[in-house]
Amino acid sequence: MTDHPLDLAALRRRLAEFAAARDWQPYHTPKNLAAALSVEAAELLEIFQWLTPEQSARVMTDPDTAHRVRDEVADVLAYLLQFCEVLGVDPLAALEAKIERNESRFPVGEAGGPEGRG
């Protein structure tokens, strides 16, 4: 673990260098990376599959389970960043644009919670 703040661009470069050093670029196609991202997200979901809402809220209190959650989060983020690198997508800009669209689509006071839907 590092003592300096995380830099998304530096992490993207590190992932690209890791893959390049192992000649993995031919396998890092958008389709393959999207599939890998989906698999890793499913592995994260698997940890929570049969837990109650209360159990899922406490998942990080068990060191072994917390370790699994952190590993799967890392895998999901790594594949997402590699996917963005291959397609030239700025993930932070994409997220900011999506938040702005959602703020327009779901104005405060009109969106409502589960009780206000349907």
Side-chain angles (χ1 to χ4, degrees):
M1 191 134 157
T2 60
D3 291 331
H4 56 80
L6 294 178
D7 177 325
L8 193 60
L11 290 173
R12 288 175 72 175
R13 282 191 304 274
R14 189 168 175 191
L15 285 166
E17 291 167 1
F18 181 89
R22 290 153 182 81
D23 297 321
W24 287 353
Q25 302 98 317
Y27 308 104
H28 285 191
T29 65
K31 179 194 77 69
N32 287 350
L33 291 169
L37 175 59
S38 178
V39 168
E40 294 303 337
E43 289 179 7
L44 177 61
L45 177 59
E46 183 180 31
I47 296 167
F48 296 88
Q49 186 173 10
W50 301 112
L51 301 182
T52 65
E54 295 78 18
Q55 290 169 323
S56 68
R58 295 189 309 269
V59 75
M60 298 305 284
T61 61
D62 175 65
D64 290 335
T65 306
H67 178 74
R68 289 178 56 212
V69 168
R70 284 190 296 273
D71 275 356
E72 296 308 335
V73 166
D75 289 342
V76 167
L77 183 57
Y79 279 119
L80 178 60
L81 292 176
Q82 291 173 80
F83 178 82
C84 289
E85 186 72 24
V86 167
L87 290 181
V89 173
D90 178 337
L92 296 180
L95 177 57
E96 183 175 34
K98 182 66 175 189
I99 290 170
E100 289 171 3
R101 282 193 307 278
N102 283 343
E103 287 171 342
S104 295
R105 288 179 58 207
F106 307 106
V108 174
E110 291 183 26
E115 301 81 26
R117 295 185 184 154

